Amino acid sequence: MVENPLTKNIDMTRPPLVLADYVSNDGYQSLHKIAGGMEPEAVLEMVKDSGLKGRGGAGFPTGLKWSFVPRGEDSPRQKYLVVNADEMEPGTFKDRLLMEGDPHLLLEGMLIAAFAIGASKAYIFLRGEYTQSFMTLSKAINEARDKGYLGRNILNMGFDLDIILHTSAGRYICGEETALLNALEGKRANPRAKPPFPQVSGLWGKPTIVNNVETICNLPGILTYGVEWYHKLTKGKDHGTKLFGVSGKVKNPGCWEMPLGLTIRELLEDRAGGMQDGLGLRAFLPGGGSTDFMLPEHLDLPLDYEDIGKAGSRLATGTMIVLDDQTCPVGMVGNLMTFFSHESCGFCTPCRDGLPWVDAIFRDLESGKGKESDLEVLREHVDYMGPGRTFCALAPGATAPLGSGLKYFEEDFKEHIAKQRCPYRH
Amino acid sequence: MEDILIASSSQQPRQLSAEEIAEIEHEKTLYPDNKAVGLEALKIVQKHQGWVSDESLLAIARYLDLSVADLEGVATFFNLVYRQPVGKNVILFCNSVSCWIMGCEGVRSHINKTLGVDFGQTTEDNEFTFIPVPCLGDCDRAPVMMVGEDLHRNLTNDKVDTIVASYRAEHQE
Ligand SMILES: Cc1cc2nc3c(=O)[nH]c(=O)nc-3n(C[C@H](O)[C@H](O)[C@H](O)COP(=O)(O)O)c2cc1C
Ligand code: SF4
Ligand code: FES
């Protein structure tokens, strides 16, 4: 039984599998299965039954999202599939691995998704800096086209699909799905108001599904080996495997495929080898830069959407950033604030004005100009920029490390102010 | 922002090269309208010219029949569209959180000292432009930077020296 469907073909010491080798390891089986007489509804049902949740950050059930796409005779003829390959969340390095390690897996998944929602055109919205991913994907797309897996009337089933590889010109906000659609249309990448949701009116006003790279890469396994197999993968409540990463001062930083539901300790200690010698674990962000800090006391929690949520954070991208006990927590949060402040799209006031203010306070704290009142101002901003107060989730994302940082590292903040310098700097 | 004002109509558009036009025409087949091609055309011109001058921007707007102001708005929004000349090699230096934890600030000061440039600046010999970039998605091998299209990982000061020297040597051939 295949236990690592996302990475079974990945070996970064050699180039990714070419199409023929990919095919001989069960590749594109799902397409043949569909061609053998599956209706789009049946594919949708399988994905719903699988329990797959989006791996882009929000964890929204994929089948449910697809089911909002209008279908039937009087629905718009043109529908689009868009793959979100804009990976830019600080500390996140999982989609790159999939695209550079096994590009055909993404293409096969895209065929499944496009077939299910009735899209004949799909865009991969790829981060411009991912030049290596661009090369592996371009090559794989050409191979698939030559083989007849892309193009018109694929495997004689009356299904067409073109995949267009679009490279972005760099802004974190482009990863937000409605901003992404604006960017693809050649506009400034401000997010759009919802509703209407992209599933109904997305790219050029047509029904559009935006899914993360890793989400799409889950599909070939589900279709090929079945829902029952998929349900056996997990060690917890959520289904499937997931890529988990660890960066920071651990012995063996990296990215691994693991079943959902294993404990954080298994990731941090067994895979990442624990902390570097002489360093202790202070805290960690479990799923990229816009998640709340968690503490060593949380190490035995399972890596599941719900359990991490209950601990006040989010599983999000599953790529953990580790803070050791000799790195300044205030500096770490400040670094994140600089990022968010720079990447704010400027559309709404709390975020456009709030983030630079917060960032400026962190610079003051670093340079020994912190004031007693600063902490209160920072706390207020956690509220001003929180969920529901802004036009999109960028600013609330920033408040996650900020709010939890203020809570867990209060003493460090106070020490910066009392000593008028960063106590971690020697 | 003084020197990146909206391309003024007093400026003359540059003549787009046959190559640029061919590539823009190809992009037209991939998108349903010219607006979407605008951003692609900016990237194409940058690939050939190194950056997007006012004259180039005007040329694209004319060629695709787009509003100059809209195209300017797009061009200034994106980090990777350069509206000022850059050196032969652009160094995209990750200064996001994992690289910060792994000591990228030290490497940054080293580059600062040895090349004499900080973020946003180009070396006197026009060889390198030094620009910060958010997380490059290689955080397990931090610190990380790109030079041109190439990624360099696990940076140390020594490693940076070797990398810089290799790009310099390449251009002397
Ligand atoms: C500021 C911001 C940046 C985001 N960046 C990304 C990204 O780089 N990649 C991604 O897949 N999702 C990103 N998302 C989430 C997307 O909006 C969207 O939820 C996701 O692509 C949906 O895919 P999924 O359902 O497969 O997870 C971002 C969201 C926000 C608010
Ligand atoms: S929250 Fe920030 S990024 Fe999102 S729309 Fe408002 S200004 Fe733009
Ligand atoms: S933080 Fe530098 S590569 Fe991710």
Side-chain angles (χ1 to χ4, degrees), chain A residues 376-398:
Chain A
E376 203 39 49
V377 178
L378 290 178
R379 274 193 205 101
E380 280 167 12
H381 275 89
V382 175
D383 193 32
Y384 294 154
M385 302 189 298
R389 298 291 185 91
T390 58
F391 197 64
C392 87
L394 183 141

Side-chain angles (χ1 to χ4, degrees), chain A residues 87-140:
Chain A
E87 187 162 76
M88 231 171 138
E89 174 87 7
T92 300
F93 51 102
K94 63 181 188 71
D95 297 340
R96 183 201 271 280
L97 178 72
L98 293 169
M99 294 186 285
E100 296 177 5
D102 199 15
H104 280 293
L105 185 68
L106 179 64
L107 303 187
E108 184 180 348
M110 289 176 73
L111 280 156
I112 297 166
F115 179 79
I117 64 168
S120 58
K121 216 169 209 189
Y123 290 89
I124 301 175
F125 189 92
L126 178 68
R127 199 175 165 191
E129 292 91 336
Y130 278 17
T131 49
Q132 180 68 31
S133 306
F134 181 82
M135 287 193 297
T136 50
L137 285 170
S138 302
K139 182 156 177 267

Side-chain angles (χ1 to χ4, degrees), chain A residues 163-179:
Chain A
I163 295 184
I164 296 154
L165 184 54
H166 170 101
T167 52
S168 177
R171 269 312 273 274
Y172 171 62
I173 190 62
C174 293
E176 197 280 337
E177 61 181 13
T178 60

Side-chain angles (χ1 to χ4, degrees), chain A residues 91-93 96 123 127 129-131 166-167 169-171 184-186 188 204 247 249 253-254 327 331-332 335 343, chain B residues 30-32 35-36 40 43 73-74 77-80 95 97-98 100-101 133-138 140 146 149:
Chain A
T92 300
F93 51 102
R96 183 201 271 280
Y123 290 89
R127 199 175 165 191
E129 292 91 336
Y130 278 17
T131 49
H166 170 101
T167 52
R171 269 312 273 274
L184 254 183
E185 291 182 10
R188 282 175 78 91
W204 294 290
S247 67
K249 293 193 174 168
T327 296
M332 177 174 172
N335 176 281
E343 294 301 326
Chain B
L30 304 180
Y31 300 87
K35 186 145 198 151
E40 299 310 302
K43 289 189 292 192
V74 168
F77 188 85
F78 290 98
N79 296 334
L80 297 182
N95 63 347
V97 63
S98 306
W100 180 84
I101 292 173
V133 69
C135 179
L136 283 170
D138 244 308
D140 53 341
M146 287 182 85
E149 307 239 300

Side-chain angles (χ1 to χ4, degrees), chain A residues 44-207:
Chain A
L44 172 64
E45 280 314 309
M46 269 185 96
V47 174
K48 268 192 189 163
D49 293 344
S50 75
L52 171 64
K53 288 181 179 172
R55 308 296 200 226
F60 193 81
T62 306
L64 185 61
K65 187 191 247 186
W66 292 4
S67 69
F68 300 137
V69 173
R71 49 189 63 242
E73 287 294 302
D74 43 352
S75 69
R77 272 189 50 211
Q78 182 68 59
K79 299 181 182 96
Y80 292 108
L81 170 71
V82 178
V83 173
N84 193 340
D86 198 42
E87 187 162 76
M88 231 171 138
E89 174 87 7
T92 300
F93 51 102
K94 63 181 188 71
D95 297 340
R96 183 201 271 280
L97 178 72
L98 293 169
M99 294 186 285
E100 296 177 5
D102 199 15
H104 280 293
L105 185 68
L106 179 64
L107 303 187
E108 184 180 348
M110 289 176 73
L111 280 156
I112 297 166
F115 179 79
I117 64 168
S120 58
K121 216 169 209 189
Y123 290 89
I124 301 175
F125 189 92
L126 178 68
R127 199 175 165 191
E129 292 91 336
Y130 278 17
T131 49
Q132 180 68 31
S133 306
F134 181 82
M135 287 193 297
T136 50
L137 285 170
S138 302
K139 182 156 177 267
I141 290 170
N142 287 335
E143 283 182 321
R145 204 175 279 137
D146 290 347
K147 176 85 181 170
Y149 287 159
L150 289 175
R152 306 213 127 235
N153 196 19
I154 298 163
L155 302 185
N156 279 325
M157 51 176 163
F159 163 54
D160 308 333
L161 183 66
D162 273 334
I163 295 184
I164 296 154
L165 184 54
H166 170 101
T167 52
S168 177
R171 269 312 273 274
Y172 171 62
I173 190 62
C174 293
E176 197 280 337
E177 61 181 13
T178 60
L180 183 154
L181 298 178
N182 278 339
L184 254 183
E185 291 182 10
K187 300 174 183 156
R188 282 175 78 91
N190 298 117
R192 297 176 179 176
K194 293 192 255 190
F197 287 90
Q199 295 91 310
V200 179
S201 174
L203 199 55
W204 294 290
K206 302 289 187 254

